[in-house]
Amino acid sequence: MYSRWMLRSLIASLLATSAHAAVLPEIQKSSAWYSNAEQVINTKLQQNTKDKAKNVILFVGDGMGISTLTAARILQGQMAGQSGEEGYLSFETFPYSAQVKTYNVDAQTPDSAGTMTAMISGVKTDVGVIGVDEDIERGNCATVKGNELVSAVELAEIRGLSTGVISTARITHATPAATYAKSADRNWEDVSDMPEAAAAGGCEDIASQLVNFEKNLEMRFPGIDVDGIEVAMGGGRRHFLPKDAAFNSADARSEVEGDRTDSRDLTAEWQATYEHGAYVMDKAGFDAIDPATATKVLGLFNESHMQYEADRANDIAGEPSLSEMTSKAIDILDNNDKGYLLVVESGRIDHGHHAGNAYNALNDTVEFAKAVQAAADATNPEDTLILVTADHSHVFTIAGYPKRGNPILGKVVAVGSDEPSLASDGMPYTTLGYTNGRGFADLGSETNADAIYGIDPNAGRKDITAVDTTTPGFHQETTIPLSSETHAGEDISLHAKGPGAHLAQGVVEQNVVFHLINQALGLLND
Ligand SMILES: [Zn+2]
């Protein structure tokens, strides 16, 4: 005789088996939200988890925090006529991602020198120093010796891989510099930036270290033979040329383009070292490079940083875009059967934010996503690990309750309304804003965010009722007045695809990035 509870559980289990699929109402099963999310999991079930890669490409969006990704993704969609929120930046569809802690050894909110040193050497270090560990004293040349780290780019060279470093910032700026230089101060970009004691003490400026990379590495490790960085492209010509107008390039902006006070012309030195190499300084020179035969390329496309993507058409002699540089670099580096390590930085996302100008920060992020897509298209997912990350975030917020599809650069318009919402002070407000910085400016069609530095800071609330906040020249309001908007201390993201990508998981310290590269390429294997 069955007890009553046994009977009840028998009936319950019979009902359950037949009810599993049927329990979902049609509105749930047929919802695109439901089926699209289910597809995400099905795709993950198919993923390959190979460990070893032939090539690694590390993309760094300088200052590209999570709010920058969200806002840029919405802008990208809205530029294509969509609502925006539902889309993805190219690398946001990569199968693996991690959350990354960015602090420097001595700083809660980090800078690019310490963060890139961590990513490319596996060791966290102090703010403001390049390629050296925390035992350094910033600005003290005498403390460099014995504290130099070895970067993944150097290890790749020693292993016979081809290497490339690309940036839209000066190629001597903190992020690219950390791949090839050792310096007690990120600001020692050329000899005129160094205290006399540092130059006299035997410290070499960053531009000189780029040109002497091969020689210096071979001196550090007697017996090894490397062939030097194959592709280096970015801005920063002023640090390579003598302070003499006779050395000005065709698109010099200053009366005297070069800054070097030691009369050295590093572009000529580089050409003398690599007689089959191509030194180029404009778009025409860039276009003339044949990637099938090029062995060495040094491209310095601007006196200082390269243009913002939105401002690129205004360059005097023309510049390639970040995606064009990325594609060409891959075409050159993949001539090496042993593989390559390429580092690509979008340096000006950070600069747009520092200027309090979301328009340029986001447009450069969209171009950065295009460069990642170009790399994905030009490589084999079976042999190339692509890592995409940032070095740190910015105090950049997406706020208020704008309705779905509201222009991301616009004023907040609430759900159910067609008019801008008014704050407690009776004035409209933008969705995007900065906690600190120079504050409001309406520079209309100005596409150079740095134009703000010629204008007095203007923090606090402003009446923007009659202002079009979606123009390139609009600078968002801010609360705390500072000469430049600052970095932020919260975590950033890491996105990965290709062999070894599955190791990018969880919440990790930033120096784990080096170990992802090292693991995939086996840089230290016997
Ligand atoms: Zn910065």
Side-chain angles (χ1 to χ4, degrees):
M1 177 103 186
Y2 292 115
S3 73
R4 194 179 291 172
W5 74 264
M6 281 177 73
L7 206 57
R8 221 186 274 148
S9 75
L10 182 68
I11 291 168
S13 74
L14 279 173
L15 274 175
T17 27
S18 57
H20 275 151
V23 77
L24 279 185
E26 197 51 37
I27 51 140
Q28 192 168 356
K29 272 190 294 189
S30 65
S31 159
W33 293 113
Y34 185 90
S35 54
N36 290 347
E38 185 179 41
Q39 188 54 46
V40 168
I41 297 303
N42 289 339
T43 305
K44 285 191 186 298
L45 288 170
Q46 312 298 322
Q47 263 149 28
N48 127 4
T49 50
K50 251 176 69 184
D51 292 333
K52 292 294 174 202
K54 178 182 176 192
N55 316 303
V56 173
I57 308 176
L58 171 64
F59 282 93
V60 181
D62 199 312
M64 191 182 69
I66 301 287
S67 55
T68 302
L69 294 182
T70 306
R73 168 205 304 158
I74 294 173
L75 181 66
Q76 175 188 266
Q78 292 183 342
M79 289 193 296
Q82 295 148 7
S83 175
E85 299 85 356
E86 64 288 340
Y88 294 91
L89 297 169
S90 59
F91 50 87
E92 291 181 317
T93 62
F94 284 8
Y96 297 97
S97 60
Q99 187 177 321
V100 180
K101 297 157 69 181
T102 65
Y103 67 95
N104 295 141
V105 170
D106 60 348
Q108 200 164 54
T109 295
D111 91 322
S112 300
T115 53
M116 190 59 181
T117 298
M119 282 191 265
I120 206 72
S121 304
V123 174
K124 281 208 184 215
T125 189
D126 289 348
V127 73
V129 303
I130 303 281
V132 287
D133 75 8
E134 65 191 275
D135 292 335
I136 188 89
E137 183 191 325
R138 184 174 180 179
N140 183 350
C141 167
T143 63
V144 171
K145 203 163 171 44
N147 292 320
E148 301 101 327
L149 301 165
V150 179
S151 78
V153 168
E154 291 167 315
L155 291 171
E157 274 291 322
I158 291 169
R159 224 169 159 80
L161 275 64
S162 286
T163 58
V165 182
I166 297 174
S167 178
T168 49
R170 296 189 295 270
I171 198 70
T172 48
H173 211 237
T175 305
T179 67
Y180 61 82
K182 325 289 164 197
S183 183
D185 199 304
R186 59 178 285 172
N187 295 325
W188 294 355
E189 292 181 70
D190 76 66
V191 69
S192 72
D193 303 315
M194 295 170 70
E196 260 173 45
C203 282
E204 184 179 9
D205 65 82
I206 292 168
S208 181
Q209 290 190 55
L210 176 58
V211 171
N212 287 335
F213 175 85
E214 177 180 349
K215 196 171 78 186
N216 289 349
L217 192 57
E218 289 175 351
M219 253 166 38
R220 264 178 94 191
F221 303 106
I224 68 142
D225 180 25
V226 299
D227 63 359
I229 295 171
E230 274 69 21
V231 178
M233 294 192 284
R237 233 163 26 225
R238 70 187 195 202
H239 300 301
F240 292 79
L241 297 174
K243 193 170 183 172
D244 179 344
F247 289 86
N248 280 9
S249 313
D251 70 347
R253 281 172 186 272
S254 310
E255 247 170 70
V256 179
E257 186 180 27
D259 282 353
R260 296 197 69 89
T261 45
D262 57 3
S263 327
R264 286 174 64 195
D265 175 357
L266 300 187
T267 64
E269 289 183 21
W270 184 87
Q271 282 170 298
T273 307
Y274 303 110
E275 49 183 8
H276 300 296
Y279 167 64
V280 294
M281 49 69 63
D282 60 9
K283 181 70 159 64
F286 173 86
D287 289 341
I289 296 167
D290 177 4
T293 55
T295 51
K296 288 277 186 306
V297 174
L298 175 62
L300 299 174
F301 301 108
N302 209 307
E303 179 178 321
S304 181
H305 303 301
M306 291 177 71
Q307 310 288 114
Y308 289 101
E309 176 59 22
D311 200 31
R312 195 160 56 87
N314 296 325
D315 188 63
I316 300 167
E319 290 182 348
S321 67
L322 186 66
S323 31
E324 288 168 335
M325 289 196 288
T326 302
S327 296
K328 187 151 263 179
I330 292 170
D331 274 355
I332 295 168
L333 298 175
D334 69 9
N335 297 335
N336 185 344
D337 290 337
K338 288 185 175 168
Y340 60 85
L341 172 59
L342 171 63
V343 179
V344 180
E345 186 211 20
S346 172
R348 309 225 67 197
I349 298 168
D350 182 63
H351 299 162
H353 280 323
H354 279 305
N357 176 241
Y359 183 95
N360 271 292
L362 300 183
N363 271 279
D364 270 43
T365 306
V366 170
E367 172 59 23
F368 176 74
K370 278 188 199 156
V372 176
Q373 185 61 52
D377 292 344
T379 53
N380 179 352
E382 296 290 317
D383 71 13
T384 303
L385 170 64
I386 302 181
L387 300 169
V388 182
T389 189
D391 47 0
H392 55 73
S393 184
H394 271 269
V395 293
F396 174 63
T397 55
I398 306 173
Y401 298 104
K403 62 182 177 183
R404 179 80 188 273
N406 197 50
I408 189 66
L409 292 164
K411 297 163 194 165
V412 171
V413 176
V415 177
S417 174
D418 290 318
E419 292 298 321
S421 305
L422 300 183
S424 304
D425 57 11
M427 298 190 288
Y429 53 101
T430 53
T431 305
L432 302 179
Y434 294 95
T435 307
N436 60 36
R438 301 182 74 86
F440 167 81
D442 176 17
L443 306 184
S445 60
E446 175 59 72
T447 43
N448 179 10
D450 300 349
I452 194 72
Y453 296 106
I455 295 167
D456 286 339
N458 191 8
R461 276 288 277 161
K462 309 292 163 190
D463 188 355
I464 54 168
T465 306
V467 176
D468 179 357
T469 65
T470 66
T471 61
F474 179 74
H475 291 246
Q476 279 75 12
E477 292 156 283
T478 190
T479 310
I480 298 163
L482 288 178
S483 61
S484 170
E485 180 266 5
T486 72
H487 298 174
E490 81 271 9
D491 300 347
I492 50 89
S493 60
L494 166 67
H495 309 261
K497 85 188 270 265
H502 58 286
L503 302 173
Q505 296 181 359
V507 181
V508 295
E509 295 283 7
Q510 195 154 36
N511 43 320
V512 167
V513 171
F514 166 86
H515 295 278
L516 290 169
I517 299 170
N518 180 38
Q519 201 296 131
L521 292 176
L523 293 173
L524 296 170
N525 292 359
D526 287 330

